[in-house]
Amino acid sequence: MTSAEEVKRDELAGFLKVLPPVEFSCVYGSTLHPNNRDKSSMVDYIVGVSDPLQWHSENLKRNRDHYASWMVHVGGAKLITEIADEIGVGVHFNPFVTWNDKMLKYGVVRMHDLLQDVLRWDRFYLSGRLQKPVHILLDNLDIENANSSNLRAAVSAALLLLPHEFCEEDLYAKICSLSYMGDLRMLFAEDRNKARKIVQGQFSLFQSMYKPFLEEYETKNMIRFSSCGSHKANIFQNINLSTTSSLVSLLPQAMRNHMGMKLGEQKRIAESGRVVCDVMISSREEAAKCMQKVLRRTVMMSSARQAVSGFLTAGGLNAVRYLGKKMAKAWKSQT
C-alpha cells in the first residue's frame, strides 16, 4: 500500500471513531474509482456488528441525527432492527450523513447474517457487493478470508453464463452483473451499463481480486488464456458436461439446493464418507438457465424487501431524495 493509499484509508477509517465499536467495515462504490475526482459523491460504508439492537441503541445516543426522526420517536433501536430483519434483508442504511465535509451512507448488518450471505448466497445482497472491489477498513473476524469462497463461486457462476471464448473484461462485467439480475432498481433507477462501467473504472482492482481464482481454474484446465497479456486478451473455457458439473459444484449450498429441486439430485459417497447430493445436469445450457433463474429470483426478492425497508427506515424525504439521485444517473447514462 502506497503512502497516498494509507492516508486515504486512515481518512476513511476516521468515520468509524464517530460510531460505536464495530467488528467489520468496508467502503465501496465510486470512492474506489482511481479516476474519481467528484468530491461531492457519496461515500458508502458497510459496518458489521455482533448485536444490531445493542449497537443501534448506543448509536442513537451518539448520533441521533443519523436516523429518520420518526424512527427515533416511534420505536427507536428495536423498531430499526425489526424492520431490517423482518422486512428487509438484515441491513439498515443511514443515508445522507454529513461528516468531515463529506456525504456518507452506511449500512449496518449483523455479523452472522453477513457471513451467511457470503458463504451461502441466501439473500445474495452483501455477498454480491463483496464480489466487487471494496476497501476493507476493519476485519476482526477475517471476513476477507471467508469471502474467498464467494469470489470463487462468482467466477463459477459467470463462467456458466459466458460462451466458449471471451475477454477478461467480459468475465468481470458478468461477475459484476450477477447481483443486478432481477434487481428492481435496474428497471428505472439504475444505469443499465453500470456493470461494464464499474469494471472499466476499476479494472486493475478486479484483476487483483480474481487473479488467484483464474490461476486455480487454469491449473485445473477449466480455462486457458491467450498469449496476449492485455485485458482484451481472450480466455477460452472448457464447456463439456464434466467442467459444467464442476462449476455447479463450486456454487454456494443454497444455490445448489434450489437448482437440485428443479433439475433433480443424485446422491454419492464422498471421500470423507459423507453423503453428497449433486445437481443432475443434462446440458450446460440447462444448468446455466436454471442458475440464472434462481439467482434472478433471489435478487428480485432481496431488492424488493430492501427497497421497502429502506423507504421506511430512511424516512420518505430521504428515500425520495436517494431515489432521485439514482434516477438522474440512470437518465444521464441513456442520453
Side-chain angles (χ1 to χ4, degrees):
M1 183 182 292
T2 66
S3 58
E5 289 173 331
E6 287 180 354
V7 169
K8 184 176 182 180
R9 182 189 180 284
D10 291 342
E11 181 183 347
L12 293 169
F15 175 62
L16 301 181
K17 298 176 182 177
V18 175
L19 306 174
V22 303
E23 298 289 340
F24 171 84
S25 179
C26 70
V27 176
Y28 65 93
S30 58
T31 303
L32 299 179
H33 196 304
N35 299 318
N36 181 36
R37 297 292 182 268
D38 184 5
K39 302 303 180 184
S40 66
S41 61
M42 190 178 294
V43 183
D44 300 297
Y45 289 77
I46 292 294
V47 297
V49 303
S50 58
D51 185 344
L53 178 59
Q54 182 180 4
W55 191 90
H56 284 298
S57 296
E58 177 62 28
N59 198 37
L60 280 166
K61 296 175 184 175
R62 298 190 187 192
N63 302 294
R64 190 184 184 90
D65 60 325
H66 289 187
Y67 297 84
S69 58
W70 82 269
M71 293 291 300
V72 176
H73 293 108
V74 173
K78 188 174 186 295
L79 183 59
I80 291 167
T81 306
E82 286 178 350
I83 290 177
D85 290 343
E86 298 174 19
I87 297 178
V89 292
V91 188
H92 169 83
F93 281 98
N94 281 332
F96 301 108
V97 173
T98 303
W99 173 79
N100 202 21
D101 296 325
K102 292 183 176 61
M103 188 69 76
L104 313 176
K105 177 184 73 175
Y106 64 94
V108 183
V109 62
R110 182 182 289 102
M111 287 300 298
H112 176 267
D113 294 344
L114 173 60
L115 188 60
Q116 284 294 102
D117 198 36
V118 163
L119 296 177
R120 290 180 49 85
W121 290 13
D122 286 323
R123 290 165 169 169
F124 203 65
Y125 191 75
L126 293 181
S127 50
R129 177 62 265 167
L130 291 176
Q131 289 168 1
K132 306 172 187 67
V134 298
H135 196 146
I136 294 178
L137 303 174
L138 179 68
D139 190 8
N140 290 342
L141 299 182
D142 205 8
I143 292 295
E144 185 173 18
N145 182 54
N147 195 48
S148 294
S149 63
N150 181 34
L151 300 184
R152 183 179 289 104
V155 174
S156 299
L159 288 175
L160 282 171
L161 299 174
L162 287 166
H164 168 61
E165 181 181 348
F166 51 91
C167 71
E168 198 173 352
E169 184 179 296
D170 292 334
L171 173 63
Y172 302 145
K174 185 62 69 175
I175 290 173
C176 195
S177 72
L178 296 176
S179 60
Y180 298 129
M181 291 180 182
D183 191 331
L184 298 179
R185 297 173 303 171
M186 298 303 292
L187 298 176
F188 60 92
E190 286 286 8
D191 181 353
R192 293 180 182 178
N193 300 314
K194 185 172 184 175
R196 181 72 62 174
K197 288 180 178 178
I198 289 174
V199 172
Q200 291 173 345
Q202 304 179 46
F203 186 81
S204 61
L205 297 178
F206 274 95
Q207 272 192 318
S208 61
M209 277 181 73
Y210 287 99
K211 182 179 179 181
F213 307 103
L214 296 183
E215 290 177 344
E216 174 188 328
Y217 282 31
E218 186 176 28
T219 301
K220 294 179 178 179
N221 295 318
M222 298 169 76
I223 62 172
R224 64 180 177 86
F225 288 85
S226 62
S227 56
C228 178
S230 73
H231 69 272
K232 294 183 179 179
N234 286 348
I235 300 175
F236 301 88
Q237 67 166 321
N238 193 329
I239 58 174
N240 61 29
L241 275 183
S242 176
T243 302
T244 300
S245 296
S246 295
L247 291 175
V248 171
S249 72
L250 292 168
L251 296 175
Q253 186 66 51
M255 181 68 57
R256 298 201 308 273
N257 289 345
H258 286 298
M259 292 179 68
M261 286 189 285
K262 295 178 181 296
L263 301 178
E265 294 181 329
Q266 187 173 13
K267 294 182 179 180
R268 64 178 175 85
I269 305 297
E271 292 181 2
S272 62
R274 190 165 53 92
V275 177
V276 177
C277 292
D278 293 327
V279 179
M280 295 178 65
I281 298 170
S282 59
S283 73
R284 184 182 182 88
E285 292 73 20
E286 181 185 56
K289 186 176 180 180
C290 181
M291 183 206 68
Q292 190 172 32
K293 187 175 181 180
V294 171
L295 200 55
R296 182 177 286 116
R297 176 173 174 75
T298 303
V299 173
M300 183 180 295
M301 293 295 293
S302 291
S303 67
R305 291 180 61 179
Q306 189 59 36
V308 175
S309 172
F311 187 85
L312 291 173
T313 56
L317 185 60
N318 272 342
V320 171
R321 184 181 174 192
Y322 181 69
L323 183 61
K325 281 181 173 289
K326 286 287 187 180
M327 292 182 71
K329 287 177 67 177
W331 176 257
K332 184 178 180 181
S333 71
Q334 298 175 37
T335 58

